[in-house]
Amino acid sequence: MQVCPYHGWVYDLTGALIDVPHKDGYPDDFDKSEFGMVAASQVDVYRGFVFASLEGSGMTLAEHLGAATALIDRAVDLSPEGELDLQAGWLQHRFKANWKMLPENDCDGYHVETTHASFMHATDSQAMDLLSDADAEPPVVRDWGNGHMEIDFNVAYRSRNIPFEWFGRVPASKLPNYTAAMIKAYGEERAHELSVTGPPHAIIFPNLFLGELNVIFYYPVSADECVQLYTPMSLKGAPEVNKRALHQTEGAVGPASFLIPEDVIIAERNQAGLNAGGRDWVDLSRGLHREYEEDGKIVSHMSDETVNRGFWRRHREEMLRDHSK
Ligand SMILES: [Fe+2]
């Protein structure tokens, strides 16, 4: 049930109007069914993630997600019950930048060494080791099409074949119940594979960020202000993982943490820089000369702007599309 804070009209969770205060102000034939909330024209669900389009997107959810369902699968399959729980609590950061600064940043691998230098120095992060390990495949960025994109650390994790390296190198012996539950759910081989590859680091266009073991989304307030919401990605049936993931979230995305506050400040500074004018175009050519195609996706070095180009390509299509159809 929802109550409008203005005049106290009461709606049920389907959006139907079920009561109004002081009914005698309306005639007897006042028809509540005519005053329900306007439904989103498209709502669909993939593995528990609810997607909605207020005015219709011109494509089904399956068409919109395309191959990128694999990115969502990569997260949800980490639960031995095949389900996520997003009830650990939500943080919100409101800040003065256009919302598109966020998808620009979230899969950008070029800023990590500089923007997050303090994180690299203070923690035992393996992110940069992966780039410099001559015996491992380096991480890449991948444009999945339709504006979906990722930094794929899995390539590196797979080549090193170390379980839970993505989880701060925690030894499997510290997660005995989780390991047993995963083997029971998926079998030895698949459970090992999942323990090695870990979660996605991916943007589902336009505003869902699967940030390792965090679910993050954002919405605009105005052209130069937005809100970003975060919660740990708790895995159903995996309390050992969730307890540790909660502390990782506190260190990565909370207001006194390393990563996201740094990205938010940079987004605000970038916005101020754009507002300063002086140039009509921002260069996004990094890595164009070394991109390659793999399984229908565009792939390049982790520091390349392949993902930014993929995001803007889809954004441009949406802005030019006739939304009346
Ligand atoms: Fe960042």
Side-chain angles (χ1 to χ4, degrees):
M1 190 175 81
Q2 294 288 316
V3 180
C4 174
Y6 193 26
H7 292 121
W9 285 27
V10 183
Y11 302 86
D12 70 13
L13 293 181
T14 70
L17 179 64
I18 55 176
D19 200 9
V20 298
H22 310 298
K23 293 185 196 63
D24 54 354
Y26 294 103
D28 290 342
D29 62 353
F30 176 73
D31 184 359
K32 292 199 290 288
S33 70
E34 291 180 13
F35 292 93
M37 294 183 188
V38 177
S41 46
Q42 252 184 304
V43 179
D44 207 347
V45 181
Y46 183 76
R47 300 206 68 178
F49 285 88
V50 181
F51 294 82
S53 172
L54 296 180
E55 60 171 14
S57 66
M59 55 173 71
T60 65
L61 178 62
E63 288 166 343
H64 167 66
L65 291 176
T69 51
L71 296 169
I72 297 175
D73 292 342
R74 209 187 286 162
V76 183
D77 286 350
L78 288 176
S79 158
E81 296 178 18
E83 212 171 328
L84 301 181
D85 180 343
L86 305 185
Q87 297 184 73
W90 289 82
L91 283 162
Q92 294 185 51
H93 292 172
R94 179 171 179 143
F95 56 103
K96 291 188 181 303
N98 185 276
W99 68 274
K100 294 187 288 297
M101 289 292 179
L102 301 173
E104 271 262 307
N105 171 287
D106 288 332
C107 286
D108 175 290
Y110 196 26
H111 75 285
V112 178
E113 285 171 283
T114 42
T115 304
H116 303 304
S118 59
F119 174 79
M120 295 296 156
H121 290 138
T123 70
D124 189 23
S125 170
Q126 76 286 25
M128 289 300 117
D129 297 354
L130 293 171
L131 272 178
S132 55
D133 182 351
D135 296 327
E137 290 282 325
V140 295
V141 285
R142 182 174 289 109
D143 171 359
W144 285 72
N146 281 359
H148 314 306
M149 56 201 164
E150 71 167 331
I151 298 179
D152 188 0
F153 294 105
N154 296 185
V155 176
Y157 294 143
R158 271 180 203 277
S159 67
R160 304 224 285 202
N161 198 30
I162 304 169
F164 304 115
E165 187 170 23
W166 53 272
F167 203 31
R169 298 169 172 154
V170 59
S173 59
K174 289 249 174 98
L175 304 168
N177 297 324
Y178 175 65
T179 304
M182 290 294 279
I183 290 171
K184 192 171 174 207
Y186 298 106
E188 288 268 2
E189 196 177 326
R190 175 75 177 136
H192 173 76
E193 186 185 322
L194 287 164
S195 75
V196 168
T197 55
H201 184 115
I203 289 280
I204 302 296
F205 184 93
N207 68 337
L208 172 63
F209 177 33
L210 303 173
E212 322 264 321
L213 285 183
N214 298 285
V215 171
I216 299 170
F217 70 93
Y218 31 85
Y219 61 86
V221 176
S222 62
D224 56 3
E225 193 166 3
C226 65
V227 175
Q228 192 169 22
L229 298 100
Y230 317 76
T231 196
M233 189 189 283
S234 302
L235 311 174
K236 281 201 175 170
E240 289 166 342
V241 173
N242 297 340
K243 190 176 170 197
R244 193 181 171 89
L246 182 63
H247 294 313
Q248 286 194 346
T249 294
E250 289 164 357
V253 310
S257 67
F258 285 102
L259 295 172
I260 295 293
E262 292 165 341
D263 288 321
V264 164
I265 291 293
I266 286 295
E268 290 196 349
R269 291 184 185 181
N270 283 344
Q271 185 72 54
L274 288 179
N275 289 348
R279 283 183 195 274
D280 291 336
W281 294 88
V282 173
D283 185 90
L284 279 180
S285 65
R286 187 176 164 80
L288 256 179
H289 65 291
R290 56 180 174 180
E291 289 179 339
Y292 55 96
E293 199 178 311
E294 188 181 76
D295 299 330
K297 297 149 198 114
I298 308 170
V299 183
S300 199
H301 188 269
M302 178 182 152
S303 68
D304 289 344
E305 286 161 343
T306 302
V307 283
N308 307 65
R309 290 189 285 275
F311 174 82
W312 285 110
R313 209 175 288 123
R314 174 72 192 276
H315 185 266
R316 183 172 188 274
E317 282 170 20
E318 288 301 315
M319 295 303 284
L320 295 176
R321 190 162 59 79
D322 181 354
H323 287 256
S324 64
K325 291 176 185 166

